[in-house]
């Protein structure tokens, strides 16, 4: 048995009915003890077995909440719980928590990895990739540790951290980008036309990139109307 002060968990084989239940009244039926008659088969069903006697009905109120109960809420009958507990002890595969310190260490390391990965993504949608990667990786790790080492690690804290951080970062970045675009658009419209400013904003470049001087081969057309100044000086405004 595990040490009395060491907290352990039952390795459930499944919901109610994972271990065969035999109605109590069959024990007092003579025909039930015939060698070829199920489910007793002349008593062979009990050979080399641990037999538990107890109620399996709701009106007895011997049902308790378990991860593998049936119905809503998920409840399991008392004899089934005892059967799972005995089977867990006999198999030696007693479930254990990974421990608070180890759990915090894992969450901290994965949190740092997630923070590093999310900084590499530039666009808000790109930040969803590391979020899914860390979340699915952590779920896979939890499943392997649970099935191979009989340990379970906390899922909710890290998943809450990943989801909350991703939503916060993506929302904040989207807000900052919108504010920056409006500021830059207003600044450019002071010097160039609205259409030119919008075209510069659609390029997707940041402000620093747009403000860097560059050399370009361009064609510039300077046009003028011959004697336009003289014409305007001697012509009534209404004629234009």
């Amino acid at each position: 048995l595990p040490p009395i002060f060491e907290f352990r968990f039952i390795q459930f084989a499944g919901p109610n009915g994972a271990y065969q239940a035999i109605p109590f009244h069959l024990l007092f039926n003579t025909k039930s003890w015939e060698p070829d008659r199920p489910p007793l088969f002349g008593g062979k069903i009990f050979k080399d077995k641990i037999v538990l006697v107890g109620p399996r009905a709701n009106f007895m109120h011997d049902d308790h909440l378990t991860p593998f109960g049936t119905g809503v809420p998920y409840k399991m009958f008392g004899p089934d719980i005892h059967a799972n507990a005995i089977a867990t002890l006999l198999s030696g595969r007693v479930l254990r928590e990974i421990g608070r310190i180890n759990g915090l260490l894992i969450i901290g390391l994965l949190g740092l990895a997630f923070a590093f990965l999310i900084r590499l993504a530039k666009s808000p949608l790109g930040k969803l990739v590391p979020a899914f990667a860390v979340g699915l990786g952590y779920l896979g790790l939890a499943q392997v540790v649970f099935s191979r080492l009989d340990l379970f690690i906390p899922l909710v804290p890290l998943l809450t951290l990943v989801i909350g951080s991703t939503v916060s970062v993506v929302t904040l970045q989207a807000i900052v980008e919108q504010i920056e675009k409006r500021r830059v658009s207003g600044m450019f419209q002071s010097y160039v036309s609205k259409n030119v400013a919008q075209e510069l904003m659609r390029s997707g470049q940041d402000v620093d990139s747009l403000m860097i001087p560059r050399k370009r081969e361009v064609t510039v057309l300077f046009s003028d109307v011959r004697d336009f100044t003289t014409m305007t000086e001697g012509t009534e405004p209404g004629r234009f």
Side-chain angles (χ1 to χ4, degrees), residues 39-233:
L40 301 183
F41 295 102
K44 294 179 181 179
I45 188 69
F46 301 122
K47 185 178 181 181
D48 300 325
K49 301 291 193 308
I50 296 177
V51 180
L52 302 178
V53 180
R56 299 185 79 253
N58 293 330
F59 68 90
M60 299 296 294
H61 301 293
D62 187 18
D63 51 352
H64 309 273
L65 292 174
T66 65
F68 292 95
T70 55
V72 179
Y74 299 107
K75 289 188 175 183
M76 181 174 287
F77 297 116
D80 292 84
I81 296 176
H82 285 286
N84 281 279
I86 293 172
T88 300
L89 294 174
L90 292 176
S91 67
R93 297 190 59 187
V94 182
L95 289 178
R96 297 167 292 143
E97 268 189 309
I98 200 169
R100 179 174 298 179
I101 296 178
N102 293 331
L104 292 175
L105 180 62
I106 292 175
I107 292 174
L109 292 175
L110 289 176
L112 291 175
F114 172 67
F116 173 76
L117 292 174
I118 202 172
R119 285 177 61 87
L120 298 178
K122 300 299 181 183
S123 65
L125 292 178
K127 296 184 183 299
L128 297 178
V129 176
F132 279 110
V134 173
L136 293 177
Y138 188 67
L139 289 175
L141 174 64
Q143 180 61 37
V144 171
V145 170
F146 179 81
S147 59
R148 299 292 181 85
L149 303 178
D150 297 324
L151 293 172
F152 69 88
I153 55 181
L155 291 175
V156 176
L158 183 76
L159 296 180
T160 302
L161 173 65
V162 170
I163 295 174
S165 300
T166 303
V167 172
S168 301
V169 170
V170 170
T171 303
L172 179 61
Q173 183 175 352
I175 294 174
V176 170
E177 286 183 356
Q178 289 299 320
I179 295 175
E180 188 70 6
K181 285 182 178 181
R182 290 184 180 181
R183 185 183 72 83
V184 175
S185 178
M187 181 181 65
F188 275 114
Q189 288 182 28
S190 301
Y191 304 99
V192 297
S193 67
K194 183 178 180 180
N195 293 335
V196 174
Q198 290 178 350
E199 183 64 27
L200 290 172
M201 296 306 301
R202 280 197 294 267
S203 65
Q205 301 180 30
D206 54 25
V207 182
D208 295 333
S209 300
L210 292 173
M211 299 302 293
I212 296 176
R214 293 178 174 83
K215 290 183 178 181
R216 292 286 189 272
E217 291 186 4
V218 297
T219 300
V220 181
L221 172 64
F222 294 94
S223 63
D224 192 11
V225 178
R226 181 181 298 177
D227 298 329
F228 182 76
T229 303
T230 304
M231 293 170 56
T232 57
E233 289 177 350

